[in-house]
């Protein structure tokens, strides 16, 4: 059991890292931003995947983790300076919304919403931690005189748990099946803590946005900061995440069953790939040989062209695509390319018919079993 969980976690982490890291580096060149995005995506993805079970948890974890990681990369890539206070509220709300949309029956009161928000906050804290260390926030290297701010940033997702749970509950309590329409008093009091803390940091000038502000300007700054950073943006993120996974949830079940179909088709697919690659290699040799004994048969051939060039040309010729560097110019070369296309197309058609006749009964049995499980 433990070995299976570890293997699932490794696969989710590897897939999320591949998606988020490549997406992140396409947005920003800062390693800390990509590390932040990958860390959050892996933490949330592994947590959701392991809780979802072995049947659909793998694909669900990869999807949710990738969405969170890409969202962090988008926000982090567009913000400079101290980004943690602007990134954490919407990302936490988005993650809770994504999880709430997976199974609406599981979150049916403020207590369950608070529990789920706390789990997500812990995962985000773990995901943010490597980026905190990389940026020197953990040791206060960039803000040696702001120990309070550094400490708050390290546990910011946890501080926002009551606020996020209360907001999510207020946006959800009218849903059918919700058990308590009135928010608990402890949750309201807990939600007031980050608000009071934000007002204190603004008033003391600890936050850059509050430096130099006094009187009415300070009050307006606090009000606008709470309205956008703490309410509007997180609320939109929560609703967007819930709507996205509510739409995707029935479609994610397909991936849970996909493994059975792939196992049934694995051998025929492998046979097709081997045959197709054999044709490419064979005709790559034919093209090189023709050019060797009939120079000029192909236009654009440079001195020193080797087997890699002919294999590349053969690959594109098998797909019926032009290869930019070389092109057939003689009658013999064009005839050879035509024969290659006939072989490639014939192999695909013949093997497709053979595969469908051999694995068709297996696929029908899998489909009938799934229909029986759904009660259709």
């Amino acid at each position: 059991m433990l070995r299976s969980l570890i293997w699932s976690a490794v696969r989710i982490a590897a897939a999320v890292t591949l998606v988020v890291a490549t997406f992140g580096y396409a947005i920003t060149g800062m390693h800390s931003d990509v590390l932040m995005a990958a860390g959050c995506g892996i933490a949330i993805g592994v947590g959701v995947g392991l809780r979802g079970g072995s049947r659909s948890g793998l694909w669900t974890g990869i999807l949710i983790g990738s969405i969170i990681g890409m969202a962090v990369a988008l926000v982090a890539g567009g913000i400079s300076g101290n980004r943690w206070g602007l990134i954490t509220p919407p990302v936490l709300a988005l993650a809770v919304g994504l999880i709430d949309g997976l199974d609406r029956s599981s979150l049916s009161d403020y207590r369950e919403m608070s529990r789920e928000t706390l789990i997500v906050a812990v995962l985000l804290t773990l995901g943010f931690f490597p980026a905190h260390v990389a940026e020197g926030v953990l040791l206060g290297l960039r803000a040696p005189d702001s120990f309070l701010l550094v400490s708050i940033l390290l546990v910011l997702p946890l501080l926002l748990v009551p606020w996020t749970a209360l907001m999510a509950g207020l946006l959800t309590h009218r849903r059918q099946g919700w058990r308590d329409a009135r928010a608990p008093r402890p949750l309201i009091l807990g939600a007031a803590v980050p608000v009071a803390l934000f007002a204190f940091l603004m008033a003391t000038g600890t936050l850059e946005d509050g430096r130099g502000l006094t009187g009415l300007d300070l009050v307006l700054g606090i009000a606008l900061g709470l309205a956008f950073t703490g309410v509007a943006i997180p609320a939109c993120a929560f609703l967007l995440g819930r709507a996205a996974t509510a739409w995707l949830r029935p479609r994610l079940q397909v991936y849970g069953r996909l493994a059975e179909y792939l196992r049934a088709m694995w051998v025929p697919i492998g046979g097709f790939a081997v045959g197709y690659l054999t044709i490419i290699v064979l005709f790559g040799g034919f093209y090189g040989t023709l050019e060797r004994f009939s120079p000029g048969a192909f236009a654009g051939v440079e001195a020193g062209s080797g087997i890699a060039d002919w294999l590349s040309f053969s690959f594109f010729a098998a797909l019926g695509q032009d290869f930019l560097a070389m092109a057939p110019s003689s009658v013999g070369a064009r005839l050879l390319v035509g024969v290659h296309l006939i072989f490639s197309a014939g192999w695909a058609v013949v093997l497709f018919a053979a595969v469908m006749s051999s694995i068709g009964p297996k696929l029908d049995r899998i489909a009938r079993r799934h229909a029986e499980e759904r009660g259709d």
Side-chain angles (χ1 to χ4, degrees), residues 170-201:
L170 292 174
L171 293 172
T172 311
H173 74 277
R174 296 183 180 275
R175 188 174 65 192
Q176 185 177 2
W178 189 264
R179 291 196 289 265
D180 50 355
R182 182 175 297 178
R185 186 174 299 175
L187 188 62
I188 297 176
L189 294 176
V193 172
V195 176
L197 187 59
F198 175 78
F200 172 76
L201 294 176

Side-chain angles (χ1 to χ4, degrees), residues 31-275:
H31 301 304
S32 59
D33 289 348
V34 178
L35 180 62
M36 183 195 311
C40 292
I42 291 172
I44 296 295
V46 171
V48 172
L50 295 185
R51 295 176 67 194
S54 59
R55 189 168 185 81
S56 60
L58 176 67
W59 298 105
T60 303
I62 292 173
L63 177 65
I64 301 298
S66 299
I67 292 174
I68 292 296
M70 290 189 290
V72 173
L74 279 172
V75 179
I79 300 175
S80 59
N82 182 13
R83 293 125 345 133
W84 304 98
L86 298 175
I87 293 174
T88 306
V91 170
L92 178 60
L94 176 63
V96 175
L98 289 169
I99 293 173
D100 184 38
L102 287 175
D103 189 358
R104 295 190 171 189
S105 63
S106 63
L107 302 179
S108 55
D109 57 28
Y110 283 100
R111 182 178 179 180
E112 292 178 351
M113 186 68 76
S114 300
R115 179 204 63 203
E116 201 67 35
T117 305
L118 177 61
I119 294 173
V120 173
V122 171
L123 293 174
L124 278 180
T125 301
L126 296 175
F128 278 135
F129 193 78
H132 276 301
V133 176
E135 288 197 350
V137 176
L138 181 63
L139 299 177
L141 296 180
R142 294 190 179 182
D145 298 329
S146 302
F147 177 77
L148 176 61
L149 179 60
V150 173
S151 302
I152 291 172
L153 292 177
L154 290 174
V155 294
L156 185 57
L158 300 176
L159 290 175
L160 292 174
V161 168
W163 176 268
T164 305
L166 178 63
M167 178 201 64
L170 292 174
L171 293 172
T172 311
H173 74 277
R174 296 183 180 275
R175 188 174 65 192
Q176 185 177 2
W178 189 264
R179 291 196 289 265
D180 50 355
R182 182 175 297 178
R185 186 174 299 175
L187 188 62
I188 297 176
L189 294 176
V193 172
V195 176
L197 187 59
F198 175 78
F200 172 76
L201 294 176
M202 286 281 289
T204 57
T206 305
L207 294 178
E208 294 181 1
D209 295 338
R211 293 176 183 174
L213 297 179
T214 57
L216 182 60
D217 291 337
L218 179 61
V219 174
L220 290 176
I222 294 174
L224 290 175
L226 290 174
F228 286 97
T229 307
V231 179
I233 297 177
C236 292
F238 173 79
L239 294 174
L240 178 63
R242 189 175 67 183
T245 46
W247 184 84
L248 286 170
R249 182 164 54 90
R251 294 155 183 84
L252 289 174
Q253 297 174 356
V254 175
Y255 294 99
R257 306 183 185 116
L258 186 61
E260 294 186 65
Y261 291 99
L262 289 178
R263 281 194 294 268
M265 299 175 64
W266 179 248
V267 173
I269 290 175
F272 171 80
V274 170

Side-chain angles (χ1 to χ4, degrees), residues 304-327:
S305 297
I307 188 60
D309 300 288
W310 295 113
L311 289 177
S312 299
F313 176 80
S314 179
F315 175 79
F316 281 91
L319 299 175
Q321 301 294 321
D322 293 333
F323 188 60
L324 297 179
M326 294 183 288

